[in-house]
Amino acid sequence: MQINIHVGGVYGNKETTMDRFAESFDSLSDNLKARLTIENDDTPNSYSVDDLLLLHDKTGIPITFDFHHHQFCPGSMSQKDAFEAALSTWPSDVRPVVHWSEVPECPERRRLHAHSHSNFVYGPINLFGHEEDVDVMIESKAREAALLFYRERFGPRYHKSSVVLQ
């Protein structure tokens, strides 16, 4: 079982904030440390995978890559490079988890709330050849209906990874 979190606010200086986060991480129980993952953010100037790689180097915390968030806070990396960099932070005996969501379907909602999740996932989910290596957590407003829609649309032939709801 994972406990996936965002680092939180930048508070004027990312490096100093990440140092404080790393110090706090050191005080956690080993049981909690083994379950914690960090996720890239969806707001510019917040924590991209670039930033989280620095925090991973200090703490060893694996990075849960969120495809939707990356488009709003890409740092200096392409989607593929950030995805693969996040995968590389996971222990070899643990199957990485990634998050997938899409922008809202409604043009007006997309314009006003681009960071929101869509009701459904229309795919296809592009895992850059890592379909057998990761589990995908779908984040959508329609929950179970979105997962069933996706599975019906693409079927088991398309993905060898687990595609589940978050």
Side-chain angles (χ1 to χ4, degrees):
M1 176 181 192
Q2 295 173 355
I3 301 170
N4 186 63
I5 64 171
H6 289 267
V7 173
V10 172
Y11 306 110
N13 186 314
K14 280 187 201 179
E15 287 206 29
T16 302
T17 301
M18 287 190 293
D19 286 342
R20 282 194 308 270
F21 186 99
E23 287 172 21
S24 296
F25 176 78
D26 287 340
S27 69
L28 300 176
S29 71
D30 290 341
N31 195 23
L32 181 54
K33 287 179 187 178
R35 287 171 171 67
L36 196 63
T37 61
I38 49 179
E39 179 179 340
N40 54 309
D41 286 311
D42 66 346
T43 54
N45 302 316
S46 200
Y47 296 95
S48 67
V49 171
D50 294 315
D51 300 314
L52 297 181
L53 287 170
L54 298 172
L55 189 54
H56 167 76
D57 288 344
K58 294 176 184 194
T59 62
I61 303 172
I63 299 169
T64 299
F65 183 72
D66 189 303
F67 284 89
H68 184 67
H69 292 178
H70 180 77
Q71 65 187 310
F72 301 106
C73 185
S76 68
M77 302 173 104
S78 70
Q79 185 182 70
K80 180 179 190 276
D81 290 344
F83 166 67
E84 290 179 342
L87 292 185
S88 75
T89 65
W90 288 73
S92 60
D93 61 336
V94 178
R95 190 173 171 93
V97 174
V98 299
H99 292 175
W100 184 278
S101 57
E102 297 172 1
V103 296
E105 296 92 332
C106 170
E108 184 66 8
R109 191 164 163 245
R110 185 180 307 129
R111 185 179 68 78
L112 296 173
H113 306 285
H115 295 217
S116 295
H117 297 146
S118 62
N119 292 321
F120 291 90
V121 170
Y122 299 95
I125 295 173
N126 180 5
L127 299 174
F128 302 103
H130 292 279
E131 288 77 11
E132 295 184 32
D133 305 329
V134 302
D135 288 338
V136 179
M137 308 250 351
I138 289 179
E139 297 177 312
S140 65
K141 301 286 185 196
R143 313 277 306 146
E144 289 85 356
L147 177 61
L148 294 172
F149 173 80
Y150 184 82
R151 286 181 174 168
E152 182 177 305
R153 185 166 184 195
F154 291 101
R157 65 175 170 36
Y158 184 75
H159 273 291
K160 296 176 180 144
S161 61
S162 292
V163 179
V164 298
L165 286 172
Q166 177 178 3

